[in-house]
Amino acid sequence: MSLFADIRRRFDLRPGKSSLNLAGSPARIAPAASYPEQPCGRREPHGTAGTDHSAYLAIAEALRDGADVVPASDEVGRRLAADGVSLMEALDGLSALYRSIAGGEPAFAAVRALSSSWAEASLVYLHSLSCEDPLTGLSSLAHLRSRLGELYREAEFRGTSVPQTHALVVVEPLNPAGTSPFERELRLVDVAECLRIVFYGGDVLGRVGSHRAAALVGREPKLPEQVATVRALITQWRIDTDVPQLARIWIEGLPGSDAMAGNLLDELTRP
């Protein structure tokens, strides 16, 4: 039995509407938090108009007590980053606080502590973000590029060759004239589903630009048959139209170096 026949036996080529995850995984979508309304203007802790110093309370207490401001500044920097305050706004607030309490500009130690903790908290947040495209579920181009870099470093360490062990399977839906951007996105959702059926192991499935998808796969003997299966799945995926869902699908060889592989990805992102 061919690979396509086996997949056709195990999968009904009539995906229901529930198979399209148009909103992304529920785990990645946090419910909107409910916050009490705040006045539009900024205020002093005692109610006078001006900068809101409430976020800087720990630093204010340290200044009034003559204590070390570094621990308080570190705490405030993390809190402001978590609240989505930009670094410029955070430093402006620190400067305003110092002028109102100490009558001058903030100490360098306080600026450095607040900036360092703000940057660290911001990086933690950025690293926690998903590396997937929320609509298609395909990995981002940055993630695909990062995985390619890992392969080249591993190959150098092991004395192997990435062009001999891996390749890209590139899929470009052929949309008829007049296809709306939303319909193009839906076609990429279909392409992503088909790629997942065939390349269900540890292969990286990524989005390459606005109109292509690519699978970073091993060069196995069955690879040509897998590509043919992807093509057959995409062609027959939609049953609500008599028009075949066409796509260009090809095996893209990888170059000899990581830098050249990055250039290749850049080329694939272009229309």
Side-chain angles (χ1 to χ4, degrees):
M1 181 182 294
S2 69
L3 178 61
F4 177 61
D6 180 57
I7 289 178
R8 185 169 187 140
R9 179 177 59 84
R10 292 185 289 114
F11 293 87
D12 181 5
L13 296 181
R14 301 187 177 192
K17 298 296 183 183
S18 60
S19 66
L20 297 181
N21 182 12
L22 300 183
S25 170
R28 294 198 298 269
I29 303 176
S34 176
Y35 298 99
E37 288 189 4
Q38 297 290 340
C40 296
R42 296 183 296 175
R43 57 183 176 83
E44 293 284 347
H46 300 292
T48 57
T51 303
D52 182 1
H53 290 170
S54 60
Y56 299 83
L57 183 59
I59 300 177
E61 291 176 348
L63 285 173
R64 293 191 179 103
D65 295 342
D68 185 5
V69 297
V70 170
S73 300
D74 183 86
E75 174 189 340
V76 169
R78 295 180 189 279
R79 175 181 171 183
L80 293 176
D83 289 342
V85 177
S86 71
L87 180 57
M88 181 176 295
E89 291 173 325
L91 293 176
D92 285 345
L94 180 66
S95 180
L97 176 70
Y98 260 79
R99 286 196 299 269
S100 66
I101 296 179
E105 290 302 313
F108 174 75
V111 173
R112 181 174 61 181
L114 186 147
S115 301
S116 297
S117 62
W118 183 95
E120 184 179 50
S122 298
L123 284 176
V124 169
Y125 168 74
L126 290 174
H127 291 164
S128 69
L129 294 177
S130 173
C131 60
E132 293 182 353
D133 175 61
L135 179 63
T136 64
L138 294 169
S139 296
S140 65
L141 181 63
H143 179 66
L144 182 59
R145 194 186 302 271
S146 176
R147 180 58 186 138
L148 269 172
E150 292 175 357
L151 285 179
Y152 279 95
R153 288 191 294 272
E154 291 172 4
E156 183 178 2
F157 177 76
R158 299 176 183 274
T160 57
S161 170
V162 173
Q164 295 179 2
T165 59
H166 290 78
L168 291 173
V169 175
V170 184
V171 182
E172 179 184 343
L174 298 179
N175 298 297
T179 303
S180 68
F182 180 70
E183 290 172 329
R184 292 175 186 271
E185 291 296 304
L186 289 183
R187 287 296 313 279
L188 274 180
V189 173
D190 293 343
V191 167
E193 292 292 330
C194 295
L195 286 172
R196 287 190 193 96
I197 290 174
V198 179
F199 302 109
Y200 52 85
D203 305 302
V204 177
L205 310 179
R207 180 165 184 163
V208 186
S210 61
H211 60 296
R212 293 189 182 117
L216 177 58
V217 301
R219 278 194 176 274
E220 304 292 339
K222 61 181 180 180
L223 182 57
E225 186 179 358
Q226 288 176 315
V227 172
T229 302
V230 171
R231 180 178 287 105
L233 284 171
I234 292 175
T235 302
Q236 302 181 34
W237 192 251
R238 287 288 177 183
I239 62 171
D240 54 359
T241 176
D242 295 330
V243 180
Q245 304 300 293
L246 303 179
R248 290 182 59 213
I249 305 174
W250 70 93
I251 299 174
E252 184 76 43
L254 291 170
S257 69
D258 184 15
M260 294 174 64
N263 293 336
L264 172 62
L265 289 180
D266 291 338
E267 288 293 329
L268 290 175
T269 62
R270 296 172 183 166

